[in-house]
Amino acid sequence: MGNTTVRRASGAAVAALLLVAATACGGGHQEDKETGVPAPRAAAASTPPPAPPGPGAARLKALALAPGEKAGKYEAGEPVLDEPMNESYEAVPAVCLPLTSLGGAGHTAQAYAKTGVPGELRDVGTDILLRSYKDGAAAGAALASLTDAGERCAGGYTEDRMLAEGKVLRVEPVAPPGVGDEARAYRIVVQDVKDKDIKLYKYLTVIRSGAVTLSFRSDILDIKDFGGVPPEIVTAQWAKFARGAGASS
């Protein structure tokens, strides 16, 4: 009687172990109620496809303001200097370079198009540069380097302008336009090369939309603080770009 009870208990234990093993071997599969065949596991999440590359040079040029096109009271003209001449400056310390030359900051654009609005006498002049990157991540990295520079170089830095050195006294963030995927804007206070008691003002605005950045640099032949990149220039350039590229504001 005692041996029979032990054998029954042992048999129950073995059956329980077999049930656990069968469940473990199933690896979490669920059995189809009709066929008794384990259902396949859910497929792992696939890697999202890479962001589309930015447009080529010809397309980018078509998205830039053309000479003669209006931007409020301003009118686009032929760019004075073409890439990469305007990207030839250096910065000390090097982390500040994106504020001076975004294209020279280790995030190389695959195409570019330059336009701008020339400053008449003591009116504001604005250089506009559209840069196209291999994908949105590369363009985002370029803007991230600008953000880092804006924070780390707030107390100033030195621009190496080939034939002269320019002293940037401070860099201050200002309100960026509310368009694109992200945007940054800065007021840059510069010391005059000839008279160190004179302060000059420059403004930089950069918008990223997908794999493209739109950069606006404004200055004036005057010592007054003119308040920023003229908003009508940003609006006109963004509107043309957004229409052609299908970007949303």
Side-chain angles (χ1 to χ4, degrees), residues 40-105:
R41 292 179 182 177
S46 59
T47 302
R59 181 60 183 152
L60 207 61
K61 184 176 181 180
L63 296 173
L65 288 176
E69 289 189 308
K70 295 289 187 178
K73 69 174 184 176
Y74 300 95
E75 182 177 309
E78 293 287 350
V80 178
L81 294 177
D82 204 354
E83 194 92 339
M85 291 299 294
N86 67 312
E87 302 279 68
S88 61
Y89 292 173
E90 299 292 338
V92 179
V95 69
C96 305
L97 185 58
L99 291 160
T100 290
S101 173
L102 187 62

Side-chain angles (χ1 to χ4, degrees), residues 57 60-64 82 111-115 128-132:
L60 207 61
K61 184 176 181 180
L63 296 173
D82 204 354
Y112 62 88
K114 185 173 182 183
T115 184
I128 304 171
L129 187 60
L130 278 61
R131 296 179 179 90
S132 174

Side-chain angles (χ1 to χ4, degrees), residues 102-184:
L102 187 62
H107 305 285
T108 304
Q110 63 182 10
Y112 62 88
K114 185 173 182 183
T115 184
V117 176
E120 300 294 339
L121 296 176
R122 291 195 172 185
D123 204 354
V124 178
T126 303
D127 287 331
I128 304 171
L129 187 60
L130 278 61
R131 296 179 179 90
S132 174
Y133 294 82
K134 65 178 183 179
D135 54 30
L143 204 64
S145 71
L146 175 65
T147 304
D148 185 48
E151 294 174 354
R152 297 174 64 181
C153 305
Y157 65 98
T158 300
E159 287 184 344
D160 184 352
R161 304 174 181 172
M162 296 190 301
L163 300 179
E165 286 189 347
K167 181 65 177 177
V168 174
L169 300 176
R170 60 184 183 272
V171 177
E172 302 165 345
V174 296
V179 295
D181 295 318
E182 53 183 332
R184 302 288 183 272

Side-chain angles (χ1 to χ4, degrees), residues 174 186-187 201-205 216-218 225-229:
V174 296
Y186 301 94
R187 181 175 81 153
Y201 298 90
K202 299 177 183 291
Y203 282 83
L204 169 66
T205 293
F216 304 81
R217 291 184 183 274
S218 295
D225 184 351
F226 55 93
V229 177

